[in-house]
Amino acid sequence: MNWLGDVETLKGVGPKRAELLRKHGIRTVRDFFYNLPRDYESYQAATSIAELRPGKVVIKGKIDSLSTRRAQRRNLSITEGVIRDDTGAVRVIWFNQSYRIKQFSPEKEYYFTGNYELKNGRYSLVSPSAAEIAEIDTSTGLSPVYVAHGAIKSYDFRRLMSNVRDKFAEIPDLLPTVRTGARRDALFYVHFPNSLETAKNARDYLAYEELFELILASKLNRQENEKLRAMRIPFSAPKIREFVASLPFKLTGAQRLAAWEIFQNMEKDTPMNRLLQGDVGSGKTMVAALAAYGVALSGNQVALLAPTAILATQHYENLREKLEKFGVKVALLTGATKGKAELKKEIASGKINLVIGTHAILTDDTNFANLALVIIDEQHRFGVGQRQKLLLKSPEGLAPHLLAMTATPIPRSLQLTVFGDLDVSVLNELPKGRQPIKTSIMTEVETRECLYPKIRETLAMGQQAYWICKAIDDDPRTETTSVKSRCEKLKRDFPGVEIEFLHGRMKAIEKDMIMERFARGEIKILVSTTVVEVGVDVPNSTLMIIENAESYGLAQLHQLRGRVGRGSAASFCYLLTSGDLSPSRRLRELEKSSDGFYLAEVDLKLRGPGEIYGALQHGALDLRIATLSDTRLIHRAQADVKKFLQDSENMVKYKELMTGITKYQQITTLN
Ligand code: ADP
Ligand code: MG
């Protein structure tokens, strides 16, 4: 058996079937063995037909009189037949499973398991799963259930698997850290369990292998990174102190510590690969400013990437104001920037110290003279490809230091596995004087009565509000109120109050203008789509209203809410729901907690990592078996990876492992 060879080389797999399997991602012999059962049916304790009682039952018998007909309702086919044993006969019925006609031969005996219940006035066995007796290990009565891949049904997989039952012995080991044959045995017991417990243990072993690969990929990335050379950035304590003294506030202890960790990294000639994790409003931008100033002092360049033009512009205004008086040249480069050619020349000549922008910085004709630090704000919104492009822009042979900032904290389990190659700084302290944001769920019908007074109160105190809507334009098919009509309505209800709307399809200059007027306090209520979701900082706004709150993810809601509570005044967030259903778990968690770290853990449980971390979008983290909540397995795999890496021969010897992990390496790194 050729383990890594084409699936077509397997017994029982012809060209047609191979084609179908390939379509469903099963390309090699290995893929075939790793196509694990989704569940097991237990056929123990069959009841004789004469003794059937309503409920879940197992019976053993032959089947005949099978036929399929269309029901009156469109798109429904009904397949019926009769199952007989020595004691009697029972009607069996399947819906939309016309392939059942082909599954059975009348002379063979099968196990059926399903519900025995009243259907159209007659007791029948409804939609049972079925397995040929000859295929089932009668001592265990267990039969694996595979996900049907198009025309290849669960019982086809069982049959194919039985064909190669004697081939398991040829399955090679993947890892040296476990007993010889561990993988072979695990795969065997997953497909042919002798009890549910052995099946579970076998799965655990396969999960361990998967975690091993993930952790190894991440560790190797770190080693690769350590081989690269970067510019050394000397740390000038007096200058930095002078800059800190010029700020309108005192740095938090966490900000100081993070900055110190960054300077320590950048003094070395190995590139920094650091993630700055801090909840919304914890002051990440200031840490970035300190790092940027340090690099500018050394005469080198910094690029700061933001996910939206609005945010880039805001960073630009904020940092220019703080840094230019210290001689740092700051420039903004977004899609809307005028005189781009001239600006790019200045960047290429090294005259500009700090370039702030969106992905426009990534276009191929922006060159840097001496790019030494790349800062990425809200990194999980950038694809892996985009990051790679940017890193290619540094001077020859030298990799830039990298600082990625995010408000979506990475739960510890991911930290240990996927992101093990990153150093992490945490801003676990909010600036002094912040008050927690009071969050309430409210139904839309209550708004006029309950929310309007709150809005009036906010405006009376000279503070501002955001109102977030889902859609830009009205859509007659849905009930959601658009940004535009909400704005109209508010203008009618609050005459004389300056209210404007903002959305992603507006021209960049328009957006900037609106944002500027809101930041200056001229606009009192900003009705907007989620373009203000990330990073936008207007400390005088204290009221956040999110309409159709149930349509957003937890992290996104937390981000939106983080637009308020940025000053010393008390802030409020209202999550509006249509009120048809009771509020979701997401909204209830959000109402209860303002701790981004806690919410991230909840989100990971509710949605899984692939949904949350943009860089994982490619599906590479759709772990087949492992769950990232199994810390016991994670720790074991971690220890074993360490052992594995101590012998460099291993990397040559274990080829299958080393090729297999490349897909993880792409997602577990920032460069
Ligand atoms: P985030 O971590 O969400 O990116 P920002 O960097 O936007 O947070 O900072 C939020 C607000 O807090 C900004 O208005 C910023 O000027 C202010 N800020 C930052 N650091 C401090 C501090 N040490 N003390 C008081 N305010 C601070
Ligand atoms: Mg920010």
Side-chain angles (χ1 to χ4, degrees), residues 247-253 255 276-288 311 314-315 318 322 377-378 405-407 427 429-434 534-539 559 562-563 565-567:
L247 296 173
F249 42 69
K250 241 178 117 227
L251 291 183
T252 64
Q255 281 172 317
L276 177 60
Q277 247 175 225
D279 211 342
V280 280
S282 60
K284 294 184 286 293
T285 319
M286 237 28 262
V287 177
L311 192 53
Q314 185 189 288
H315 279 330
N318 179 10
K322 300 208 164 65
D377 196 12
E378 296 304 337
M405 308 196 286
T406 179
L427 298 185
E429 185 187 350
L430 290 180
K432 282 228 163 51
R434 294 277 170 82
V534 189
V536 167
D537 182 40
V538 180
Q559 267 285 355
R563 296 315 104 217
R566 308 191 134 239

Side-chain angles (χ1 to χ4, degrees), residues 351-584:
K351 254 192 241 155
I352 308 277
N353 305 102
L354 170 57
V355 186
I356 301 176
T358 56
H359 59 270
I361 299 189
L362 300 175
T363 55
D364 297 328
D365 62 344
T366 324
N367 293 307
F368 290 81
N370 46 21
L371 181 61
L373 170 65
V374 175
I375 304 171
I376 301 177
D377 196 12
E378 296 304 337
Q379 61 92 21
H380 65 282
R381 290 173 173 268
F382 284 89
V384 172
Q386 281 175 307
R387 287 198 295 247
Q388 254 153 1
K389 258 194 195 161
L390 193 66
L391 297 183
L392 290 176
K393 289 189 179 295
S394 58
E396 224 167 300
L398 291 179
H401 297 288
L402 190 68
L403 178 66
M405 308 196 286
T406 179
T408 309
I410 295 182
R412 201 170 144 65
S413 56
L414 279 183
Q415 190 89 65
L416 291 171
T417 51
V418 187
F419 296 107
D421 63 323
L422 297 181
D423 290 321
V424 178
S425 297
V426 181
L427 298 185
N428 53 4
E429 185 187 350
L430 290 180
K432 282 228 163 51
R434 294 277 170 82
Q435 300 185 35
I437 304 163
K438 247 188 105 19
T439 304
S440 326
I441 301 173
M442 192 182 269
T443 59
E444 255 163 62
V445 286
E446 295 173 288
T447 51
R448 202 170 265 276
E449 220 170 293
C450 306
L451 197 53
Y452 275 19
K454 189 76 215 169
I455 295 178
R456 285 200 194 93
E457 192 185 307
T458 304
L459 297 178
M461 288 192 290
Q463 295 164 0
Q464 294 156 276
Y466 295 94
W467 188 307
I468 307 297
C469 295
K470 189 85 199 161
I472 299 172
D473 295 300
D474 277 341
D475 180 346
R477 282 167 304 177
T478 65
E479 301 252 305
T480 54
T481 316
S482 69
V483 169
K484 289 174 187 165
S485 43
R486 178 55 70 194
C487 188
E488 294 279 296
K489 199 163 165 8
L490 286 171
K491 276 183 175 166
R492 255 181 282 129
D493 293 346
F494 295 89
V497 176
E498 192 68 18
I499 304 172
E500 291 293 345
F501 65 79
L502 180 76
H503 61 73
R505 278 214 312 269
M506 285 160 69
K507 286 211 187 72
I509 338 179
E510 283 179 295
K511 276 192 276 193
D512 289 352
M513 216 166 65
I514 299 277
M515 244 2 260
E516 245 177 75
R517 288 179 50 217
F518 186 65
R520 279 205 303 266
E522 286 171 27
I523 295 173
K524 300 299 177 192
I525 304 177
L526 184 63
V527 183
S528 172
T529 57
T530 55
V531 284
V532 295
E533 171 192 343
V534 189
V536 167
D537 182 40
V538 180
N540 190 48
S541 42
T542 56
L543 179 58
M544 166 61 70
I545 297 150
I546 306 172
E547 201 164 342
N548 292 114
E550 66 275 359
S551 62
Y552 301 98
L554 190 49
Q556 204 176 7
L557 289 167
H558 181 60
Q559 267 285 355
L560 281 168
R561 176 172 62 177
R563 296 315 104 217
V564 298
R566 308 191 134 239
S568 52
S571 290
F572 300 86
C573 174
Y574 290 90
L575 306 168
L576 302 189
T577 68
S578 56
D580 294 345
L581 301 165
S582 62
S584 65

Side-chain angles (χ1 to χ4, degrees), residues 222-377:
R222 182 184 272 265
Q223 287 188 358
E224 289 296 309
N225 192 56
E226 277 162 8
K227 277 187 222 147
L228 297 173
R229 294 280 74 86
M231 204 101 65
R232 279 177 194 274
I233 307 297
F235 174 53
S236 163
K239 293 258 171 166
I240 298 287
R241 224 173 275 139
E242 193 189 333
F243 173 66
V244 169
S246 79
L247 296 173
F249 42 69
K250 241 178 117 227
L251 291 183
T252 64
Q255 281 172 317
R256 277 171 198 281
L257 178 61
W260 183 80
E261 287 168 333
I262 290 165
F263 285 126
Q264 290 271 307
N265 272 166
M266 294 199 302
E267 277 195 309
K268 303 211 176 81
D269 65 352
T270 13
M272 169 169 76
N273 209 19
R274 183 169 288 278
L275 186 70
L276 177 60
Q277 247 175 225
D279 211 342
V280 280
S282 60
K284 294 184 286 293
T285 319
M286 237 28 262
V287 177
L290 283 167
Y293 183 47
V295 173
L297 282 173
S298 75
N300 291 301
Q301 288 173 300
V302 182
L304 170 59
L305 275 174
T308 62
I310 290 178
L311 192 53
T313 309
Q314 185 189 288
H315 279 330
Y316 169 69
E317 269 150 21
N318 179 10
L319 296 186
R320 191 181 52 168
E321 193 242 319
K322 300 208 164 65
L323 287 167
E324 257 183 2
K325 51 189 173 209
F326 289 91
V328 180
K329 283 230 154 32
V330 188
L332 177 69
L333 180 59
T334 65
T337 304
K338 295 226 169 61
K340 255 187 227 160
E342 195 51 38
L343 180 58
K344 284 182 183 175
K345 260 189 223 146
E346 287 190 341
I347 295 171
S349 74
K351 254 192 241 155
I352 308 277
N353 305 102
L354 170 57
V355 186
I356 301 176
T358 56
H359 59 270
I361 299 189
L362 300 175
T363 55
D364 297 328
D365 62 344
T366 324
N367 293 307
F368 290 81
N370 46 21
L371 181 61
L373 170 65
V374 175
I375 304 171
I376 301 177
D377 196 12

